[in-house]
Amino acid sequence: MITIIASTNRPGSSTLKMAKYYQLQLRQKGIDAGLLSLEQLPPNLLQTDLYGKRSEEFAKIQTIITQTDKFIFIIPEYNGSYPGVLKVFVDACTFPDSFYDKKAALVGISSGKYGNIRGIDHFTGVCHYIHLNVMPLKLHIAAISKEFDADGQLVNTDTLKFTNEQIDKFIKF
Ligand SMILES: Cc1cc2nc3c(=O)[nH]c(=O)nc-3n(C[C@H](O)[C@H](O)[C@H](O)COP(=O)(O)O)c2cc1C
């Protein structure tokens, strides 16, 4: 099972738009992928789901993570790295079985020039620690506000080409 993680809880995020784009592209290639937005996390996760605690709300999310063997993380750049809520989410998931020996593709996005290069590197380090195998082709999509049309379709030729290549490689990964 494939799950796309929209790795922020910010309402109206470009991350969620990109996650929906990946889901649609996979569907057009005949693959049904789930989508988990970190907006769906319990709002008081810090109190309810860290350090051995488990809420009913998060238990449903944990089941999805446990059943997933391939993840696509769409990760926005926040203050030069990946969002803190993504690390809280990983910390809340059961260790080590949630991600151990599974596979992931990473996509960085930003409003600035760098497409979250540093945040993707930081998160790659975390993935290695939890034995989540990262696909070598990682994307960095900068100036995200110029990437979508009104229907949520990508408009830049290069971005279309590289996302398509990454999705094809991920299917075989
Ligand atoms: C808390 C926060 C920190 C941010 N820091 C950066 C940054 O360091 N570099 C950058 O290019 N954009 C930064 N941004 C802008 C995001 O890259 C931009 O909102 C983009 O649309 C992706 O994030 P989104 O999925 O929340 O929309 C930041 C946004 C937020 C909310």
Side-chain angles (χ1 to χ4, degrees), residues 8 10 12-15 76-80 109-113 144:
T8 177
R10 194 178 78 77
S13 72
S14 295
T15 298
E77 179 171 335
Y78 285 179
N79 293 315
I109 71 170
S110 72
S111 56
K113 283 184 185 175
I144 192 68

Side-chain angles (χ1 to χ4, degrees), residues 4 9 14 21-22 37 39 59 79 88-89 126 143 146 153 167:
I4 302 163
N9 59 341
S14 295
Y21 177 81
Y22 269 72
S37 166
E39 272 186 273
N79 293 315
V88 173
F89 164 69
V126 172
K146 297 184 186 149
Q153 290 306 303
I167 291 167

